[in-house]
Amino acid sequence: MERDRSITLGDIEQAHGRFASERANLVARNAVTSAGVRSAARDPEIASRATTTFDIQLEQGEICDQKRSGRCWMFASLNTMRYRIMKKLGLKTFELSQAYPLFWDKYERSNWFFENIIATAADELASREVAYLLRDPLGDGGQWDMFRSLVKKYGVVPKEAMPETACSSSTGDLNKYLTRYLRHGAKRLRDAVAGGADAAALDAIKRELMDGVYRVLAICLGEPPATFDVRIRDEKNELKASGTYTPQAFFAEFVDMDLDAYVSVINAPTEDKPYMRSYTVKYLGNVVEDGTVRYVNLPIEALRRAAVAQLEDGLPVWFGSDVDQGFLRDDGVIDPEALDVDRLFDLPIEAGLDKAARLDYGESLMTHAMTLQGVNLDEAGEPTLWRIENSWGADRGKKGYDIGSARWFDEYVYQVVVDRKYLTAEELAAYESEPVELAPWDPMGALAR
């Protein structure tokens, strides 16, 4: 029998009758139309459970603000590094420049883009991979491995050595016009390949294009310092550090962090990504000579264990999550139970998909990077609440911090970056194995888009 695919007037009348016959529907309609879904679904009891005191609690200093930019991965990375500087020098607060890595990421990512355009020049312009490369070649997002590559090559600088500009605080126009220039460059390179240009000719075109990229970045962000003077005083006005440094020397002396010791652990419980395997994402990277990213996929219990162990050793943890799920922004609470959406609509909206299905069906992915700065543990040593340092300024949440529930961590945290010493020998061997290459649009690469 052929299916009736249309909606009839009878269908609409029945839907209206069923809706209007339920008192709860009318109460929910009044609440949502007046206050919105989140306000109507907010559970005040869950919001009130959040604490500001933790069993393990690291103190970071003043909260940073990424403003109108997608640099969360940079802010989270720099927050793990500035913590080391504060601890080393006995400072109450300190901030590293976020404009400095932004410059070098845009510069290196432009080169990465041009190299990928040359590599795919024989492919049809309408192919899915070429279309993917052209869609957003210069987004603000990124991954820990990409930040590690930048710091290994360019180091870090104090914020005063390269302060924020209008274009670093609000990257929209910078990205818009530089992306247009990159697409122009892509056409030049593809046309050159089609015309039979050799490697030397392509290199000459790319060098010219990269000079243009540098010009745009220098105009928008200022030129990065090759050297800078340092004078750092503590709260008692005692001089704790002084001298002239290169960015690399400053990182080596004051951050003193073995970047290669830190590995990315993901939790993607989907059939296409078996646990205890290493993965990478095609075309995801920035510094050409340092390669792409690498993850090891482990059960969520391993992510919890490693994150707690690093916090117990007094170091914050970089992590990536789907931050908007169960998020009461004004309260600074992240908990799937904080928004009772299913009861509000009397439908399986939140409960309808598990973690694997949310990834498979496009409902969830990594959207934001932050740092774990504390944790509460139960009698068995399992985490019950997480203290999260955000990068959206101190005037929101709990003075810039958020409180994440254990369930939220399990359901919506997809990645932690920890010292490899917190992995078992078997887990580390899995990380070191030859990685499986994921498609460029795989959700495990979402944070970099």
Side-chain angles (χ1 to χ4, degrees):
M1 185 178 73
E2 185 176 350
R3 292 175 49 248
D4 184 1
R5 296 182 295 167
S6 63
I7 296 174
T8 68
L9 289 176
D11 294 331
I12 296 172
E13 289 176 0
Q14 288 183 12
H16 166 71
R18 286 190 291 265
F19 177 82
S21 66
E22 293 289 337
R23 175 180 176 275
N25 291 339
L26 304 180
V27 173
R29 179 200 61 190
N30 294 345
V32 173
T33 55
S34 298
V37 172
R38 286 179 183 256
S39 293
R42 176 182 178 272
D43 187 329
E45 290 187 9
I46 299 298
S48 68
R49 293 179 194 170
T51 181
T52 55
T53 303
F54 287 79
D55 295 331
I56 301 170
Q57 184 166 317
L58 311 183
E59 294 302 329
Q60 177 70 307
E62 295 176 4
I63 291 292
C64 302
D65 191 349
Q66 67 187 74
K67 297 186 178 178
R68 297 181 65 184
S69 72
R71 295 174 290 166
C72 61
W73 61 293
M74 292 184 174
F75 275 73
S77 301
L78 289 170
N79 282 341
T80 67
M81 295 176 184
R82 71 173 180 140
Y83 181 85
R84 291 170 176 265
I85 297 174
M86 292 165 55
K87 191 173 181 180
K88 182 182 182 74
L89 299 181
L91 305 177
K92 197 168 183 179
T93 192
F94 186 78
E95 196 165 349
L96 289 162
S97 170
Q98 300 93 3
Y100 180 78
L102 178 67
F103 183 104
W104 292 122
D105 178 62
K106 300 293 186 190
Y107 189 64
E108 289 283 355
R109 202 178 297 209
S110 297
N111 182 59
W112 179 274
F113 170 71
F114 289 141
E115 287 297 324
N116 284 326
I117 289 297
I118 293 170
T120 58
D123 297 347
E124 292 290 332
L125 190 61
S127 72
R128 187 174 184 185
E129 289 195 4
V130 174
Y132 174 83
L133 291 172
L134 292 171
R135 181 170 59 84
D136 188 17
L138 205 69
D140 284 353
Q143 266 290 340
W144 163 262
D145 286 4
M146 296 163 65
F147 196 82
R148 178 188 63 198
S149 296
L150 292 174
V151 174
K152 287 172 68 174
K153 188 169 183 177
Y154 296 106
V156 297
V157 305
K159 189 160 190 171
E160 63 184 16
M162 189 170 179
E164 292 286 285
T165 71
C167 290
S168 66
S169 296
S170 181
T171 55
D173 283 343
L174 166 61
N175 289 340
K176 174 182 177 178
Y177 294 113
L178 189 50
T179 293
R180 184 164 179 164
Y181 177 72
L182 292 184
R183 289 175 178 147
H184 148 78
K187 184 179 186 304
R188 283 189 62 187
L189 290 167
R190 284 179 61 90
D191 288 350
V193 171
D198 60 14
L202 292 174
D203 285 345
I205 294 172
K206 194 187 80 166
R207 281 195 295 272
E208 178 190 338
L209 291 168
M210 288 302 298
D211 281 347
V213 171
Y214 189 96
R215 184 182 312 144
V216 171
L217 292 173
I219 289 171
C220 291
L221 303 175
E223 289 193 87
T227 61
F228 52 91
D229 291 332
V230 170
R231 302 290 185 275
I232 301 175
R233 293 183 178 273
D234 63 12
E235 297 300 308
K236 298 178 181 178
N237 204 34
E238 294 179 1
L239 190 64
K240 308 297 290 189
S242 65
T244 301
Y245 290 86
T246 65
Q248 296 86 347
F250 184 83
F251 174 82
E253 180 170 340
F254 295 108
V255 180
D256 189 23
M257 180 180 184
D258 181 3
L259 292 169
D260 291 328
Y262 286 81
V263 299
S264 289
V265 183
I266 61 171
N267 175 245
T270 52
E271 289 187 10
D272 65 324
K273 300 180 186 71
Y275 288 144
M276 301 302 292
R277 294 286 299 274
S278 178
Y279 297 91
T280 188
V281 180
K282 192 173 185 179
Y283 301 131
L284 181 55
N286 51 4
V287 179
V288 168
E289 64 269 26
D290 211 28
T292 185
V293 302
R294 178 179 292 203
Y295 313 130
V296 60
N297 192 21
L298 300 178
I300 194 65
E301 294 82 5
L303 277 69
R304 292 199 306 259
R305 183 200 73 227
V308 169
Q310 188 159 301
L311 286 169
E312 287 177 332
D313 283 346
L315 290 173
V317 178
W318 189 108
F319 77 101
S321 70
D322 187 351
V323 70
D324 197 47
Q325 303 280 1
F327 195 5
L328 300 178
R329 295 192 178 214
D330 292 340
D331 296 285
V333 172
I334 319 179
D335 188 336
E337 297 178 8
L339 291 169
D340 199 353
V341 176
D342 288 14
R343 187 172 300 181
L344 178 67
F345 292 104
D346 194 22
L347 291 169
I349 295 175
E350 296 277 357
L353 301 172
D354 63 15
K355 190 172 188 177
R358 288 193 294 269
L359 289 170
D360 284 339
Y361 283 83
E363 166 55 29
S364 183
L365 40 68
M366 275 191 281
T367 60
H368 192 44
M370 299 179 283
T371 59
L372 298 172
Q373 290 283 349
V375 64
N376 273 351
L377 304 171
D378 63 17
E379 294 179 357
E382 291 294 324
T384 58
L385 286 176
W386 300 89
R387 183 175 190 251
I388 301 164
E389 179 188 20
N390 209 334
S391 53
W392 292 346
D395 58 348
R396 53 150 312 281
K398 298 185 183 301
K399 297 182 179 179
Y401 285 87
D402 297 307
I403 312 302
S405 71
R407 185 174 168 226
W408 173 78
F409 185 98
D410 289 357
E411 295 290 337
Y412 293 108
V413 168
Y414 294 107
Q415 179 183 4
V416 298
V417 174
V418 294
D419 193 306
R420 61 178 60 225
K421 69 183 180 181
Y422 301 117
L423 300 186
T424 67
E426 185 182 11
E427 291 166 348
L428 192 55
Y431 175 83
E432 298 288 359
S433 65
E434 185 67 22
V436 176
E437 186 177 71
L438 303 174
W441 40 85
D442 189 273
M444 287 302 105
L447 192 60
R449 298 182 197 131

